[in-house]
Structures are given as structure tokens and as C-alpha cells.
Amino acid sequence: MKRTHVITGATGLLGAALVLQLAARTSADDLICLVRPADSDPQKRLTAALSEAAKAYRTDALTTQRALRKAKAVSADLTLPGLGLDSIQVASPYPTWFWHVGALIGFGHANRRRLFATNTAGTRRIVDLATQMKAEALHYVSTAYVAGSRTGEIPEQPITDAVPREFYEASKIAAERIVWNAPLPTRIYRPTAIIGHHATYACGGPYTGVYGLMRRIALHQSLRHRLDGGRHPIRLLARGDLPLNLVPVDHVARELVEIAHASTPHRVFHLSNPTPPTVGATLRAIFTQLGIAAWELVDDPALLHPADLHLAELFREFYADYLNHEHRFRRDHAHAALLQPARTQYPMDDDLLNQFFAHYHRHELARRHPVPATRKPA
């Protein structure tokens, strides 16, 4: 059956991967991508983003050509009333699915207003448009970290008592509640920390999340000699034994599309890695790729050297909580909906982690913080 897919965030990391997945799944469906207005032409920006993602993920030529041919850009802004568009621009005679992937990722009080304007009010506007168009379904991409300060085992359930740790989480929690109570069929998907493609290690879009952690460590290292003359090893407040749920972007996109097409009574799904690496293993790979041999993890702030307080401040707004609080994301609903749940297994040993961060260091980070990379094969 032919469908029309209306997609937000198609020029972003996950959104572009989603468009490629949808193009791979069917040759008939229409792909309407709501793209932020800007100085450049929306269609050109969409084409560039999809081409970059296809190259990064080594997408086959047929799928790439199909995506570029079928993906139509429509200028829209999540922060404007009615998204700043006429619904006739996305009207279709076919059953319509909405995929709301677009979101603002930002941290700190300075971003509070923009986060709620985009992530929360923007989601309400998408729900209103989908309802107005009598859409067949709305698929909303949230984040697994709507769990907030809750620790331990996190079920695939609606948010009830979460306490957000910062404004990004709060904006996504509020958005989830809007989707959960929407007057049309909805499903909520919660990815964990998205990294590059499982085989190419590349991101066809911005390198965010754990890559930001590596950027901050590199920045700190570039200033370390000035801070303490390099006399002490770097000390970082983190619990090395905790899981850090990294999941490749192509796994998330594939599961998102497969679960959306599955017949299931469930409405909330964790798109996570069932076999994640630990905080310690992840940090070890990052330090290795930055050529930093002298570093330690500590569990008491009193053990930090004065120079370490600079790094602690760089982590304070966002990363610190993720390095010190345990989250274990259940996948009962996701596994039940997937045809081959075993494909979700993606154990990440030291060598694989080094491959991901070596790729990022070579292709992105070295231009910003030119510190020597390790000579160890990656």
C-alpha cells in the first residue's frame, strides 16, 4: 500500500538515515521532508544532507537515487504557528504517516526557552497538523534519557514521575506527554546515545552526544599544561563499571522503520544497545585516541586536582550525570516487535570503540584540536 511520509529533522543525523531506510523499504512511498527555512534553498540542503549520509553509510546506488528522487523539501519551522506552512503543501490522497525526528539539542539555562519552543511547542504543532490531516499514524522520536534522574532498570512505559536533570530532558518529557495524549494513533521511540554507522563508523550529520565528550577532553588537554604544567594525570569523576548505552545510527534507523511497520499493541520502544560498553571502556578509547596516557577515574570530588576542576566544569551541564548514574534500558517491546531481535546485539569491545573514536579524531576532531593521535592500530 502506498503511503506518504511527512518527516521532520531529515537533514539531521538520524533523520537522514531514516529517509534512506524508508527509501530502501519501498519504491512507491512519497517522502515529504519539513526543512527549516534558511538562507539556502531547502531542497538543496536536503539533497546535500541525504547525499552526505548515503556516502557516509555506503548506501547502495539504487537506494540513494530513490531517496534523492522522492524526498521533497517543504519549508517549515517548528517554532512558528502552524509551522509556517499551508497544510496543502503536505496534503496527500494516500494514508499519511508523520515521523517527528526534528529536535533541538542544547544544554544549560541559556537554551531553556529555545528548547521548549522547539521540542515541546514544536511537537504540539506537529500533533495538530497530523490530527488536522487525519494522519494514519504519528511516530515520535524522543530520547531514552527522559528517564531523567531515575536509575537502574528503565521500562518501556509512559513518563510518570521522572525528574529531569536539565532542560533538554525536561523539554522532551513534556513533548512525550503531548504525543501520548494525542487524538490519533501514536508510537514513541527512545534512542539512547547515537554514534556513527556500525561498519563505516561515520556520522552522516553532526557528531553529537559522546563525541562532545571527546571534544571537551581534547579541549581540556590542549590547556592542561597551562593549568598545572602537566604535573598530574587527568582525574575524572566517573564510575567506570556503569553501562554507557552507545548505539549505531543505522541500527536505530532500521529498528525505527521495522517497529513502525510491525503489528504490536505497544506504544513505547527503547532503541538501545542491549550489550552496551561501560563508561570506563568508552573513556579508555577516547583517551587512547587523544594520545593521553596519564588519566584516572575517581569517585570522590575531593580527589580531583585543581586543574581537573576545569574538566569537571566542562562536563557539569550535561555529561557528568551520564558518567555517574546507571541506566539499564529494557527492550521487551522492541524485541517483541522486531522480526530478528538477535540482530540488535552489538557488543562493543575495546577495538571497536577505538575504531569509532579514531574515525572521529581523523575526520573531525583533529581539525579543531590538533593533538597527536595514538600510533596503535585502530
Side-chain angles (χ1 to χ4, degrees):
M1 176 178 64
K2 183 172 181 176
R3 287 191 178 95
T4 294
H5 300 273
V6 180
I7 305 149
T8 70
T11 59
L13 172 61
L14 179 56
L18 169 62
V19 171
L20 293 173
Q21 278 287 328
L22 290 171
R25 185 179 179 93
T26 174
S27 61
D29 291 4
D30 293 327
L31 307 173
I32 299 176
C33 301
L34 304 186
V35 179
R36 285 196 316 272
D39 294 337
S40 58
D41 177 72
Q43 187 65 50
K44 289 182 179 179
R45 282 189 287 123
L46 175 63
T47 298
L50 295 178
S51 298
E52 178 186 357
K55 180 180 179 181
Y57 308 147
R58 297 178 191 157
T59 305
D60 66 89
L62 179 61
T63 297
T64 302
Q65 292 166 6
R66 185 182 296 156
L68 295 176
R69 184 179 70 252
K70 300 186 76 61
K72 173 189 174 185
V74 172
S75 181
D77 189 329
L78 292 172
T79 67
L80 294 179
L83 305 174
L85 57 75
D86 187 333
S87 60
I88 195 68
Q89 295 177 276
V90 293
S92 171
Y94 305 108
T96 300
W97 280 9
F98 273 71
W99 302 80
H100 185 26
V101 185
L104 174 66
I105 300 176
F107 312 102
H109 194 275
N111 287 305
R112 180 182 183 278
R113 187 181 298 275
R114 294 174 60 234
L115 285 164
F116 281 93
T118 302
N119 298 345
T120 308
T123 297
R124 188 179 298 281
R125 293 182 179 110
I126 290 292
V127 167
D128 290 344
L129 178 60
T131 303
Q132 176 187 337
M133 291 180 58
K134 297 181 171 57
E136 189 176 56
L138 168 61
H139 301 280
Y140 172 61
V141 176
S142 181
T143 170
Y145 299 101
V146 292
S149 60
R150 181 172 181 174
T151 59
E153 194 168 78
I154 313 298
E156 294 163 296
Q157 298 294 340
I159 296 301
T160 54
D161 57 353
V163 177
R165 294 168 292 188
E166 36 76 32
F167 293 118
Y168 171 71
E169 290 179 353
S171 70
K172 297 293 277 186
I173 290 170
E176 271 205 17
R177 288 174 175 149
I178 292 169
V179 173
W180 184 261
N181 294 301
L184 76 162
T186 63
R187 289 182 181 176
I188 295 170
Y189 307 86
R190 296 175 180 161
T192 51
I194 298 177
I195 56 174
H197 187 278
H198 85 278
T200 69
Y201 317 118
C203 287
Y207 286 78
T208 58
V210 72
Y211 299 107
L213 180 71
M214 188 172 181
R215 283 195 297 274
R216 283 160 174 79
I217 294 174
L219 173 61
H220 175 76
Q221 176 67 1
S222 70
L223 301 171
R224 187 76 184 192
H225 187 80
R226 202 180 312 169
L227 293 169
D228 77 345
R231 291 190 302 272
H232 303 292
I234 293 176
R235 285 184 174 174
L236 181 59
L237 194 63
R239 290 182 54 191
D241 60 317
L242 297 184
L244 187 62
N245 204 287
L246 308 180
V247 59
V249 61
D250 54 308
H251 281 223
V252 175
R254 176 180 55 79
E255 289 190 2
L256 177 57
V257 172
E258 185 173 331
I259 293 172
H261 286 84
S263 177
T264 172
H266 302 299
R267 293 176 59 193
V268 181
F269 307 89
H270 283 154
L271 307 183
S272 58
N273 186 347
T275 52
T278 63
V279 167
T282 304
L283 290 171
R284 182 165 58 248
I286 288 174
F287 281 116
T288 297
Q289 292 307 317
L290 291 175
I292 301 172
W295 61 277
E296 302 170 350
L297 301 185
V298 298
D299 58 6
D300 184 349
L303 297 175
L304 298 178
H305 300 299
D308 298 321
L309 299 179
H310 172 262
L311 184 57
E313 181 62 21
L314 291 176
F315 286 174
R316 181 180 58 81
E317 280 188 345
F318 179 61
Y319 294 99
D321 282 332
Y322 295 85
L323 301 179
N324 290 282
H325 292 84
E326 181 180 19
H327 292 100
R328 288 180 285 109
F329 299 102
R330 294 190 62 90
R331 287 178 49 94
D332 306 80
H333 296 174
H335 277 166
L338 293 168
L339 295 175
Q340 295 179 290
R343 290 180 67 190
T344 66
Q345 298 291 326
Y346 193 68
M348 302 181 71
D349 59 17
D350 287 354
D351 287 341
L352 188 55
L353 286 167
N354 271 290
Q355 294 279 13
F356 276 102
F357 293 113
H359 177 93
Y360 175 60
H361 186 271
R362 285 195 304 268
H363 295 277
E364 294 288 330
L365 187 60
R367 296 202 302 267
R368 306 188 191 194
H369 301 286
V371 296
T374 176
R375 291 180 178 274
K376 177 182 175 180

